[in-house]
Amino acid sequence: MSEGATPTRGARLAELLDARFMASLDRLDITSRKILQGKLKGERQTKRRGQGVEFADHRQYVPGDDVRFVDWNIYGRLDQLFMKMFLEEQDLSLHILIDSSASTAFGEPSKHKYLRRLAAALAYVGLVNNNRVGLCTFADGLTGRLLNMRGRRYLGAMAEFLLNAPADGVTHFEKACRQWVSGRMGAGVTVVLSDFLFKEGYEAGLKRLIGDRYELCVIHVLSPQERAPDLAGDLALVDAEDADVSEVTISGALLKQYQRNLSAWCGGLREFCVRHDATYVLTDSAQPADRLVLEHLRRHRLLG
Amino acid sequence: MDWISPYTALVAGAVAVPALVLLYFLKLKRRQVPVSSTLLWKRAVQDLQVNAPLRLPRKNILLLLQLLALLALLVALGRPVLSLDTSPPRRVVLLIDQSASMRATDVAPTRLAEAKRQAREVVESLRAGSGWFAGSRSDEAMVIAFAGTSRVLCNYTADKVQLAAAIDSIEETDGETLLSDAVAVARAYATPAGTEDKNRSAETPARLELFSDGRIADLDRVIVAPGELNFHAIGRTADNVAIVALQARRSFENPEALSVFVDVANYGAEAVACEVQLAIDGNVRSVEAVTVLPRSAGKPGHTVVSFVLSHAGAGVLEARVLRPDALAADNNAWAVLAPAKALAVLLVTEGNPALRSALKSCAPARLDAIKPAEFDRIYAAQGALELSYDLVVLDRHDAVPPLSGGPSAGRAPDRLPRGNYLVFGRPPAASGARAEGELKDQWIVDWRSRHPVLNFVNLDNVLVARANRLVLPRDATVLAEFGDSPAIAEVRRQGGVMILVGFDVLQSSWPFDAGFVMFCCNVVNYIGREAAEGQAPGLKVGQPLSVRGAPGVRQATVTTPDGAAVRVEGSPSGAVRYAATSRAGVYRLAVEGGADHLFAVNLLDAAESDIGAAHELVFSGQKVKAEEGGPARANQEIWPLLALLGLLVVYVEWYVYNAKVRL
């Protein structure tokens, strides 16, 4: 990442996030319930400044210890070797999986753009707070990834990656999750941004994402047209991904049934998430992305 | 309900219904709409199909509606009719009364309008020609309007538009009601010559539909077969006050004094107080309040109002009952007061300067003198030919020997042209008087000085040297007498007046008397008034106006009471006739290059004024009751309703197709 490229990347970032939004994001950080409940209670150290370390305890030196951490002051007074023990630095990873299948290209406003804005906001928070941030786009498997970013200097790269993310291809969620989990390390938060309109179902994929060290957050984005279709007449509905044709004659009853099915689908997803201790947020692309991030995600304690 | 052309509908249905169903089963061309995922839609469709309690997709409803619309149109094509009348085609004669009594307003707006409305209903109920398969003929009707005369407005036709137009063209008249002509005309048309048509055999005689108020003057002259005539009675009340007679007379002695008699009749059941107004030339001269007795024992109450006015000149007299009632036409009556006419005088003499100068001093319009022989040659041989002179003065005509050696030499001609005569000497045989012997040196001893002819004439000193002894017919009026014989007499013959003077004036001292000139002038004035009265009689509605103009008159203009001007052609002999006097009022006939003639045309008909509607007619013993209610409508076609229904269903189908919320 050369510094020379930064101004343009900054400009690219501005395409996704405006200045005010970024300013409000600056105050936030990624939180993880799992880490709070982990072995270092109450604290999650961040590396704000160089190698700022915090002393925790002493213990007796045993051969083999790193001599760099011997407390020579105590040795001078007591003539005994004690080791300085520091707080373990919790390195939080934020992984964002972004649906980039053809179905996200739909909607007015576009789901695709909305997904990328959300991803950018979350990644921004992660990068600003020096968390390890990884972005993946998936469709039929993972289609692109940008891993191991840390610090503001990656903002431009992040924006570039998101802006270049395509929106085509069929979805194969389970495959994507499989691929991704195999390369995942550390602990942190996994955020899945998708419309979850997967013909194969979402359960198998999500189950792979659930683990002890990773907290899962599911953000379900639908377009207003999907929540309340404005269709009429005898239509042949063509699936954007697999070109499957469904002949329907729009009627009041059909629309009602569609609504019923949609809420059942969303309800099923929510229930799945609750059961597996994941966060579930349903939104639609007409909602302002900043409002979702600043209000809903904070309420769901994804950000704090 | 019956069908006129069921096969048409069946054929059309056999084509159209399968075509519609076929169209329905053809693959619907659907609009392709890309969506993000068909996942939820597929499920929704499946769920809907599984869950729908009644599996009736909307498309089927559309098909159902389309079929319904098609069915309605097909049924309409079959031309269903209500109350099918399959009897042989009828021929109907619509007899519509347009007499004065039909102008009564007791039925709004008028009886005639109501009659026309009912007649139109009958026309509407006529059966039209059937479809391609039934092959029967349509009903036909003709329209005759009758009042004093009958007019065929439309011959037999099935064209309802033409019939309705004929009915609409009937106008109100002030005529009387004579049905016999109309019935005779209707029967004459009933069997058109040269028509060989089984459907029009004598078995189906034309049915007469009479629309009238039943005030028909000549019912006893009409004979109808039972059931041949349907009487549609129109009208209700009998309340009417009418002028049924008007007479204007100048006093015999004083021509300025005008006596007017107005006979006012009341046809209502209650006595009526009203005012009778008399106007001359539009200026009201007198108004008199009268009370007219009510109708009693079937006879209307009469009151005669008499006016005495002083009016010397000409004018139009109008009497008017100032009381609005159902029939306005009979509240007025007119009479024309003729002016004394300037006469054309023909003097037939061998030469009589005294007579000639005396007549000349009377300022006649024309004074021609011819010899008696010439007169005979022109007129006498032709008998009753009309004269073009108003007054012929025969002076000593008897002195002339007849042209052909007749049996009686020296005798006045047997026959004279019709006209007014002043005869000096032996009376002509046409007068009915004759001369028996001769009298000598007679004095006139008595005369009727109050007769217009002898007004201001003193015969005291008239000595007649030789006179004829006159033997007069019984109806003659003696105006002056010698001691034992009439000297001057008036006889009315052939609509003319003859003043017979029994002596030759040249054989008397009369020419030297101023009274002789006075006498001549009196005669001219008297004859002139007589001629004027004869010329402008009161006419009844429907009677023709007739003017004897000068020969060669070709054109005349008649101004009707409505103010319309009608050009009339004269006959070669100079007579001008105008027969279309259908409205009461004053007609002005202006002969081209001649004087105007005024004619008063009056209703003055007690039968017409009696407007109480009859509900039963008695035709020569055959009673016909009035039809109750309107004409029964046969063969009412209901296809327009069905077509409307089809249209509505199409609208509903369109709505169902378009509506967002359905089922």
Side-chain angles (χ1 to χ4, degrees):
Chain A
M1 301 293 149
S2 73
E3 288 295 316
T6 310
T8 44
R9 289 193 174 146
R12 297 304 296 268
L13 182 65
E15 287 181 31
L16 292 167
L17 304 171
D18 59 52
R20 268 186 61 207
F21 187 25
M22 279 193 277
S24 38
L25 290 175
D26 277 337
R27 296 194 294 270
L28 301 176
D29 194 1
I30 308 288
T31 62
S32 168
R33 282 171 288 170
K34 296 221 162 150
I35 290 173
L36 291 177
Q37 294 159 5
K39 40 191 169 183
L40 291 171
K41 294 183 176 67
E43 298 284 340
R44 181 173 66 78
Q45 284 304 104
T46 57
K47 301 182 171 180
R48 254 184 229 285
R49 216 170 277 128
Q51 28 175 200
V53 292
E54 205 165 316
F55 172 79
D57 207 353
H58 287 100
R59 69 167 168 84
Q60 207 119 40
Y61 172 79
V62 288
D65 281 343
D66 190 344
V67 292
R68 284 184 298 173
F69 297 110
V70 173
D71 193 336
W72 297 113
N73 291 336
I74 293 194
Y75 177 76
R77 270 198 262 157
L78 305 176
D79 208 15
Q80 283 184 356
L81 284 168
F82 280 93
M83 294 300 291
K84 285 190 282 191
M85 282 175 64
F86 299 94
L87 286 178
E88 189 181 44
E89 288 161 358
Q90 190 68 47
D91 187 14
L92 184 136
S93 298
L94 172 64
H95 290 280
I96 304 173
L97 279 138
I98 305 154
D99 188 351
S100 68
S101 64
S103 67
T104 58
F106 279 87
E108 184 59 45
S110 157
K111 284 189 290 181
H112 185 54
K113 186 167 182 200
Y114 191 81
L115 289 169
R116 289 181 298 172
R117 272 172 70 80
L118 273 182
L122 293 171
Y124 181 86
V125 172
L127 289 175
V128 163
N129 291 309
N130 273 331
N131 291 313
R132 189 183 300 275
V133 175
L135 296 175
C136 287
T137 55
F138 69 89
D140 184 10
L142 294 182
T143 54
R145 48 184 118 184
L146 182 62
L147 298 175
N148 296 323
M149 294 185 288
R150 195 195 294 274
R152 281 179 173 271
R153 61 201 178 95
Y154 281 99
L155 286 176
M158 178 266 290
E160 189 69 31
F161 173 79
L162 286 176
L163 287 171
N164 289 339
D168 59 1
V170 301
T171 320
H172 206 284
F173 186 54
E174 199 269 335
K175 183 175 161 192
C177 292
R178 202 168 61 228
Q179 289 177 355
W180 183 76
V181 167
S182 63
R184 182 169 71 171
M185 287 164 63
V189 178
T190 305
V191 179
V192 183
L193 293 167
S194 174
D195 54 12
F196 287 97
L197 294 170
F198 309 142
K199 290 210 167 127
E200 62 191 21
Y202 47 80
E203 288 90 349
L206 286 180
K207 266 182 187 158
R208 286 188 179 273
L209 297 183
I210 293 158
D212 285 342
R213 295 162 59 77
Y214 274 89
E215 184 181 339
L216 178 64
C217 176
V218 172
I219 299 183
H220 189 183
V221 178
L222 293 172
S223 68
Q225 289 75 22
E226 280 155 353
R227 302 186 82 170
D230 55 350
L231 300 172
D234 294 306
L235 302 173
L237 302 178
V238 183
D239 194 300
E241 293 182 11
D242 54 7
D244 174 38
V245 176
S246 173
E247 293 193 343
V248 295
T249 300
I250 305 295
S251 68
L254 184 67
L255 287 175
K256 268 183 204 151
Q257 187 62 40
Y258 175 87
Q259 293 284 1
R260 219 174 288 143
N261 287 1
L262 181 68
S263 46
W265 183 260
C266 297
L269 183 55
R270 175 194 299 276
E271 199 186 326
F272 180 90
C273 292
V274 168
R275 205 164 55 234
H276 294 89
D277 198 18
T279 306
Y280 175 80
V281 179
L282 172 66
T283 183
D284 75 51
S285 58
Q287 265 191 13
D290 48 357
R291 193 159 154 259
L292 177 84
V293 172
L294 296 175
E295 293 180 9
H296 288 78
L297 295 187
R298 286 182 76 178
R299 200 166 66 224
H300 286 90
R301 295 185 174 278
L302 180 67
L303 300 175
Chain B
M1 195 165 74
D2 295 278
W3 303 83
I4 290 181
S5 54
Y7 300 106
T8 316
L10 285 180
V11 170
V15 174
V17 173
L20 178 66
V21 175
L22 194 69
L23 276 176
Y24 176 72
F25 280 116
L26 285 179
K27 186 78 177 168
L28 183 69
K29 173 86 177 155
R30 286 170 186 273
R31 188 159 58 93
Q32 291 209 336
V33 176
V35 291
S36 51
S37 176
T38 54
L39 170 74
L40 294 171
W41 289 111
K42 278 209 154 143
R43 288 196 182 181
V45 171
Q46 284 165 7
D47 292 350
L48 203 62
Q49 285 176 353
V50 171
N51 292 336
L54 191 68
R55 297 197 185 184
L56 199 66
R58 188 174 59 92
K59 245 165 39 168
N60 286 1
I61 283 197
L62 294 183
L63 176 69
L64 212 65
L65 287 170
Q66 285 163 7
L67 278 176
L68 195 63
L70 185 63
L71 202 69
L73 294 180
L74 287 174
V75 171
L77 204 59
R79 295 184 62 193
V81 289
L82 297 176
S83 63
L84 182 70
D85 182 359
T86 52
S87 58
R90 291 171 302 172
R91 317 191 79 204
V92 179
V93 182
L94 303 170
L95 298 166
I96 299 171
D97 185 353
Q98 56 172 167
S99 65
S101 56
M102 293 296 280
R103 293 178 65 189
T105 52
D106 55 331
V107 184
T110 63
R111 290 181 179 180
L112 183 62
E114 172 67 14
K116 283 155 82 169
R117 190 189 64 74
Q118 292 192 10
R120 272 194 294 274
E121 268 182 34
V122 171
V123 167
E124 280 304 312
S125 74
L126 293 180
R127 294 167 302 174
S130 307
W132 309 329
F133 296 95
S136 71
R137 308 201 50 143
S138 17
D139 293 343
E140 294 187 333
M142 75 184 290
V143 182
I144 298 178
F146 69 97
T149 54
S150 306
R151 272 191 310 148
V152 177
L153 296 172
C154 179
N155 202 347
Y156 280 116
T157 178
D159 183 352
K160 293 184 179 181
V161 176
Q162 199 185 337
L163 287 167
I167 290 169
D168 284 338
S169 73
I170 296 175
E171 291 178 349
E172 296 173 342
T173 73
D174 288 330
E176 55 192 332
T177 317
L178 297 176
L179 182 60
S180 54
D181 276 3
V183 172
V185 169
R187 291 199 177 126
Y189 274 88
T191 49
T195 307
E196 298 260 336
D197 194 331
K198 282 175 188 168
N199 283 331
R200 293 176 177 177
S201 66
E203 291 156 27
T204 55
R207 204 182 69 212
L208 306 179
E209 300 280 352
L210 173 63
F211 300 90
S212 172
D213 52 9
R215 314 308 308 187
I216 297 171
D218 59 348
L219 276 181
D220 50 346
R221 288 175 55 201
V222 181
I223 298 169
V224 295
E228 185 190 5
L229 184 136
N230 285 346
F231 172 45
H232 303 268
I234 290 152
R236 287 194 303 269
T237 66
D239 181 27
N240 187 28
V241 174
I243 296 176
V244 294
L246 169 70
Q247 197 169 30
R249 261 195 205 153
R250 290 188 185 279
S251 162
F252 211 53
E253 280 78 26
N254 176 14
E256 284 204 2
L258 185 66
S259 304
V260 181
F261 304 96
V262 181
D263 186 354
V264 182
N266 178 11
Y267 294 89
E270 288 168 14
V272 168
C274 61
E275 289 177 326
V276 180
Q277 166 191 303
L278 196 70
I280 295 177
D281 288 336
N283 302 317
V284 176
R285 296 292 294 267
S286 182
V287 177
E288 198 145 316
V290 293
T291 303
V292 194
L293 298 174
R295 184 188 201 101
S296 64
K299 300 253 179 192
H302 280 273
T303 299
V304 175
V305 192
S306 61
F307 300 85
V308 178
L309 306 168
S310 172
H311 185 82
V316 176
L317 188 81
E318 182 186 4
R320 180 190 291 260
V321 174
L322 299 176
R323 176 180 178 270
D325 55 18
L327 183 58
D330 59 7
N331 292 350
N332 295 21
W334 293 267
V336 173
L337 303 173
K341 193 182 168 192
L343 302 185
V345 178
L346 179 68
L347 174 59
V348 182
T349 179
E350 289 290 344
N352 188 340
L355 188 54
R356 191 188 172 98
S357 62
L359 287 171
K360 208 167 191 174
S361 69
C362 301
R366 197 162 55 140
L367 176 63
D368 295 334
I370 57 173
K371 305 273 185 197
E374 207 178 339
F375 176 78
D376 285 349
R377 199 180 68 241
I378 297 170
Y379 295 106
Q382 295 167 23
L385 192 81
E386 297 210 341
L387 281 170
S388 56
Y389 291 93
D390 300 298
L391 174 65
V392 179
V393 182
L394 295 178
D395 180 34
R396 289 173 297 146
H397 192 262
D398 54 334
V400 181
L403 284 175
S404 55
S408 53
R411 226 187 62 183
D414 289 343
R415 290 184 299 169
L416 285 173
R418 191 186 295 183
N420 302 307
Y421 290 90
L422 171 60
V423 181
F424 292 97
R426 185 184 290 270
S431 67
R434 59 182 199 277
E436 283 186 354
E438 210 167 75
L439 300 167
K440 293 206 171 171
D441 298 333
Q442 295 286 327
W443 295 90
I444 291 178
V445 295
D446 189 21
W447 67 92
R448 289 184 63 178
S449 60
R450 301 187 70 174
H451 192 277
V453 168
L454 295 178
N455 221 356
F456 311 121
V457 177
N458 190 346
L459 298 175
D460 261 343
N461 301 317
V462 175
L463 170 66
V464 179
R466 285 170 61 191
N468 293 305
R469 180 190 290 273
L470 291 180
V471 178
L472 297 174
R474 290 175 65 178
D475 59 339
T477 312
V478 175
L479 303 181
E481 284 177 281
F482 298 123
D484 55 353
S485 160
I488 304 176
E490 181 192 354
V491 180
R492 290 182 178 255
R493 284 289 179 275
Q494 293 178 321
V497 176
M498 283 187 173
I499 306 290
L500 305 175
V501 179
F503 53 91
D504 176 5
V505 284
L506 294 181
Q507 300 290 329
S508 71
S509 65
W510 206 14
F512 304 103
D513 194 295
F516 178 62
V517 179
M518 196 70 86
F519 170 76
C520 287
C521 288
N522 281 346
V523 169
V524 169
N525 286 341
Y526 179 62
I527 298 288
R529 252 196 326 272
E530 287 284 319
E533 269 169 31
Q535 176 229 349
L539 294 175
K540 291 192 92 174
V541 172
Q543 289 179 335
L545 317 180
S546 159
V547 167
R548 212 168 31 161
V553 169
R554 283 284 179 274
Q555 291 274 354
T557 309
V558 174
T559 311
T560 61
D562 328 333
V566 185
R567 304 280 298 170
V568 182
E569 294 279 323
S571 71
S573 66
V576 178
R577 281 169 64 88
Y578 176 76
T581 56
S582 60
R583 301 300 291 265
V586 177
Y587 288 73
R588 177 182 294 275
L589 194 154
V591 180
E592 212 166 66
D596 285 8
H597 303 266
L598 291 172
F599 294 88
V601 176
N602 285 315
L603 178 59
L604 299 183
D605 188 329
E608 281 306 317
S609 295
D610 189 1
I611 60 170
H615 288 274
E616 189 182 64
L617 299 180
V618 182
F619 294 97
S620 313
Q622 174 78 37
K623 281 188 186 178
V624 175
K625 288 223 170 204
E627 295 259 309
E628 293 301 326
R633 301 203 54 162
N635 292 15
Q636 250 185 326
E637 295 211 26
I638 54 177
W639 67 263
L641 290 177
L642 288 163
L644 194 68
L645 177 72
L647 191 66
L648 284 178
V649 173
V650 167
Y651 274 132
V652 170
E653 193 260 351
W654 181 242
Y655 177 77
V656 168
Y657 178 74
N658 275 293
K660 272 232 162 193
V661 180
R662 300 170 197 96
L663 279 176

